[in-house]
Amino acid sequence: MIPSALLRLLRYSLYLAAITLAVIELIVDAVALAALNDTYRGFRFSFTNEKGAAGYTMFVTIVTLLFIPVVTFANVLVNRGFGAAGRFNQILTELANAALFLVLWFVAGVVMAVYAGRGDCYGFSVCKKFRAATAFAWLPFFVFLAQTVVLVLILLRIRANGGNLKSMTHDIDGDAGLPTAVAAPPQHVETPYSQPGKGEGSYYNSNPQVNMPAAPPAQAP
């Protein structure tokens, strides 16, 4: 059984990896499109397929960069007053979102491979840039594939610990909803327990309602 701490670490690390790869893919796509426009400016070639594939991949990249950081740092946003961000950390919602991005990046990888990164480059730098963009488009797909598996394991762990589909992802062990234990105020001894036959003595000064019971009457010898 995978420890809960390791599942939390994997989830967080995979989200950071997805954000990093999305930034790289955005840069590589932009460089490829800029090289295509500069190289073939003034020609009749439109390169509609290549531009469309790169444009879709950039769209998926931008959506990833806008949404995934909210999911990753939802707890921070909730502490800053954005309570609605906490809904993105519900296990069923987070699993559905990961599966959605898994499909989006799979389509991006296929589209780039079919329309932009296929064939031999024969030394053309533009072609090499598009092939690099195609290769990087597949990396977020594998990251979200691994993230989906991790979230499924977290879901199974939450259900095993008595949680439901609306439980928070970080509540793997089912202890997030338990009340926090409050330490009792310090108790100071005022008067030691009275000896038998000397009346009732107050034992605690900080809580006058807590008194020791009266001593039983002394028996005659």
Side-chain angles (χ1 to χ4, degrees):
M1 181 179 294
I2 302 177
S4 300
L6 181 58
L7 289 176
R8 293 188 182 96
L9 179 61
L10 288 174
R11 169 186 169 273
Y12 186 73
S13 300
L14 288 171
Y15 276 138
L16 292 181
I19 295 172
T20 303
L21 292 174
V23 172
I24 296 175
E25 178 64 21
L26 182 64
I27 296 174
V28 174
D29 272 347
V31 171
L33 287 175
L36 181 64
N37 293 329
D38 292 340
T39 303
Y40 295 98
R41 182 176 300 172
F43 290 85
R44 296 181 179 180
F45 304 106
S46 59
F47 297 100
T48 304
N49 293 334
E50 289 79 0
K51 292 180 179 180
Y56 171 79
T57 306
M58 292 185 70
F59 165 75
V60 176
T61 301
I62 293 174
V63 173
T64 301
L65 292 176
L66 291 176
F67 185 76
I68 296 303
V70 177
V71 179
T72 307
F73 304 104
N75 288 337
V76 178
L77 295 176
V78 170
N79 294 332
R80 295 295 178 89
F82 298 94
R87 299 179 180 178
F88 294 112
N89 277 160
Q90 292 180 352
I91 180 59
L92 183 61
T93 302
E94 192 167 332
L95 180 59
N97 290 330
L100 175 61
F101 278 97
L102 175 66
V103 174
L104 291 176
W105 279 105
F106 176 76
V107 175
V110 171
V111 168
M112 289 294 291
V114 172
Y115 294 108
R118 62 180 181 177
D120 296 325
C121 292
Y122 300 109
F124 292 101
S125 61
V126 176
C127 176
K128 292 181 179 180
K129 289 181 175 62
F130 272 98
R131 294 190 70 173
T134 302
F136 275 105
W138 282 103
L139 296 181
F141 164 75
F142 291 110
V143 170
F144 279 105
L145 178 61
Q147 186 70 286
T148 303
V149 174
V150 170
L151 291 175
V152 169
L153 294 176
I154 292 176
L155 173 61
L156 295 177
R157 182 70 58 82
I158 289 176
R159 294 302 300 271
N161 291 327
N164 54 43
L165 298 179
K166 293 184 179 181
S167 299
M168 295 300 169
T169 309
H170 56 270
D171 186 21
I172 301 178
D173 297 321
D175 56 355
L178 298 179
T180 304
V182 179
Q187 306 294 329
H188 303 286
V189 177
E190 177 189 24
T191 304
Y193 180 71
S194 59
Q195 298 295 327
K198 295 184 179 180
E200 182 181 13
S202 175
Y203 191 70
Y204 293 110
N205 183 29
S206 59
N207 191 352
Q209 296 179 356
V210 180
N211 296 324
M212 300 301 295
Q219 297 180 358

